[in-house]
Amino acid sequence: MKNTELASLLRRLERPSGPVDVVLDTDTFNEVDDQFALSYLLASQEKLKVQALYAAPFFNEKSSSPEDGMLKSYEEILRLLKLCHAQELEDRVFQGSRGYLPDEKTPVASPAAEDLARRAMGYSPENPLYVIAIGAITNVASALLLEPAIAEKIVLVWLGGNAWDWPDNHEFNAFQDVAADRVVFGSGAPIVQLPCMGVVSSFRVSEPELRCHLLGKNQLCDYLAGLVISDQEKAGAGPCWSRPIWDVTAVAWLLEGPDGPFMEDRLEPAPIFQYDHHYSFDKSRPPMRYVYHIHRDALFEDLFRKLAALEGHS
């Protein structure tokens, strides 16, 4: 990498100080945390200017296929926009990939991937588009394959993979589409990685906190708290449970509280995602930001305050 290219990459890896344009790529129906992340993003538009929302594929017990997961996520995005009184964004919601990458050279065409490839070309290294991704990164990888030049015009903030010292990398967002992981991490685009187990797994909420800080505040807060409590009850959780609300942290990397950033990170060479669900490392790879600690209490305080203050009443 040339010195000028490295300097540009490092500039884009700095946390932005002013308002920025963002898009969110989300498997919104997969669990309960994407709903919190999208709501937090919509409540933070004084700094994070939402340009588009993309539905990502997922496949687990809540879907019959990656396509079904994507379509359910698309509908959940629209449901949350109504709860957040942000229906003006409905025409910026795009359906994503109906399957995962077949290999590392073939994109999966979709309205989301095509919009990101087109939209990002309107930005520059000096004024990049911030792509917050909180699911399998098939849509992002497809956009990079459709238009490789956007690697110089975006910054990707992705919640995915486990901590680098975790025994394996069998994490939901990462293992669904390893080909996409490899495309994105090998693209040269600036990346901020928020690992799940071993890092973001500490960002947990309890039932008493949900009842104290969200229930009864407004219709959105009731919906979000109810999702978590109901899900835990269905899972047979005991009387003393806590639940990770993982995806909020990807939005929060771009924000700060009164005492500064909500997390700690460092520059590291980008890892290589392997098909056996482990990492390998090469110190000659381009740098990225690796988040290694979340200031849990400060972030939850900001999250609860903003969600409770959103317009709308029960």
Side-chain angles (χ1 to χ4, degrees):
M1 177 175 284
K2 298 178 181 178
N3 289 341
T4 54
E5 294 173 340
L6 177 59
S8 174
L9 179 62
L10 291 174
R11 279 195 301 271
R12 281 177 286 157
L13 284 170
E14 294 296 324
R15 184 178 287 102
S17 56
V20 294
D21 288 353
V22 303
V23 297
L24 178 69
D25 187 74
T26 163
D27 56 350
T28 328
F29 196 77
N30 163 45
E31 208 181 337
V32 299
D33 52 339
D34 290 75
Q35 292 92 333
F36 279 81
L38 174 53
S39 302
Y40 187 43
L41 174 61
L42 295 172
S44 302
Q45 290 199 77
E46 74 285 349
K47 181 173 182 182
L48 307 180
K49 309 297 184 182
V50 179
Q51 303 302 305
L53 301 168
Y54 305 135
F58 75 89
F59 182 33
N60 60 15
E61 67 279 358
K62 290 190 174 181
S63 66
S64 59
S65 66
E67 177 180 2
D68 180 58
M70 182 277 294
L71 292 172
K72 286 178 175 175
S73 294
Y74 177 80
E75 294 300 324
E76 185 74 351
I77 293 171
L78 296 175
R79 184 178 300 111
L80 281 161
L81 290 181
K82 290 182 174 65
L83 286 169
C84 293
H85 297 267
Q87 292 97 320
E88 72 277 3
L89 294 173
E90 287 182 353
D91 62 351
R92 301 187 192 185
V93 182
F94 297 88
Q95 294 185 7
S97 304
R98 296 174 182 266
Y100 305 124
L101 291 190
D103 54 60
E104 296 175 30
K105 295 183 179 179
T106 307
V108 180
S110 70
E114 292 163 1
D115 180 82
L116 178 56
R118 177 194 59 77
R119 188 180 299 274
M121 286 303 293
Y123 292 80
S124 68
E126 296 73 31
N127 179 37
L129 175 65
Y130 287 82
V131 180
I132 304 171
I134 52 178
I137 46 176
T138 310
N139 293 334
V140 180
S142 294
L144 283 161
L145 289 170
L146 288 168
E147 183 51 82
I150 68 172
E152 298 181 354
K153 302 172 186 292
I154 66 172
V155 176
L156 173 65
V157 184
W158 181 51
L159 181 130
N162 288 328
W164 293 359
D165 57 356
W166 199 255
D168 62 63
N169 196 31
H170 198 261
E171 182 278 324
F172 188 70
N173 290 348
F175 78 66
Q176 290 184 93
D177 197 343
V178 179
D181 306 339
R182 291 168 65 91
V183 167
V184 171
F185 276 71
S187 69
I191 297 170
V192 180
Q193 183 188 7
L194 293 104
C196 293
M197 293 305 299
V199 180
V200 182
S201 51
S202 66
F203 189 67
R204 311 179 74 92
V205 70
S206 66
E207 182 174 1
E209 289 173 308
L210 292 170
R211 293 190 180 279
C212 176
H213 298 291
L214 292 188
L215 279 179
K217 302 299 182 183
N218 55 45
Q219 189 177 13
L220 171 69
C221 289
D222 287 346
Y223 180 72
L224 295 174
L227 281 175
V228 182
I229 295 170
S230 173
D231 207 56
Q232 291 298 106
E233 289 175 347
K234 290 177 182 176
C240 298
W241 58 261
S242 65
R243 174 71 175 262
I245 307 295
W246 319 84
D247 293 337
V248 168
T249 59
V251 176
W253 187 84
L254 291 164
L255 301 170
E256 291 189 0
D259 298 321
F262 292 120
M263 56 203 70
E264 304 294 332
D265 59 48
R266 63 178 183 263
L267 290 170
E268 293 279 2
I272 302 167
F273 287 69
Q274 299 293 356
Y275 286 97
D276 67 356
H277 308 303
H278 290 84
Y279 294 109
S280 60
F281 299 91
D282 178 352
K283 291 185 178 181
S284 69
R285 299 257 288 180
M288 52 157 275
R289 284 207 175 272
Y290 177 82
V291 173
Y292 61 87
H293 178 71
I294 309 294
H295 296 295
R296 183 263 183 204
D297 295 350
L299 179 49
F300 265 118
E301 181 178 346
D302 192 61
L303 173 68
F304 289 150
R305 177 182 58 82
K306 287 181 175 177
L307 295 181
L310 275 176
E311 293 182 3
H313 303 282
S314 301

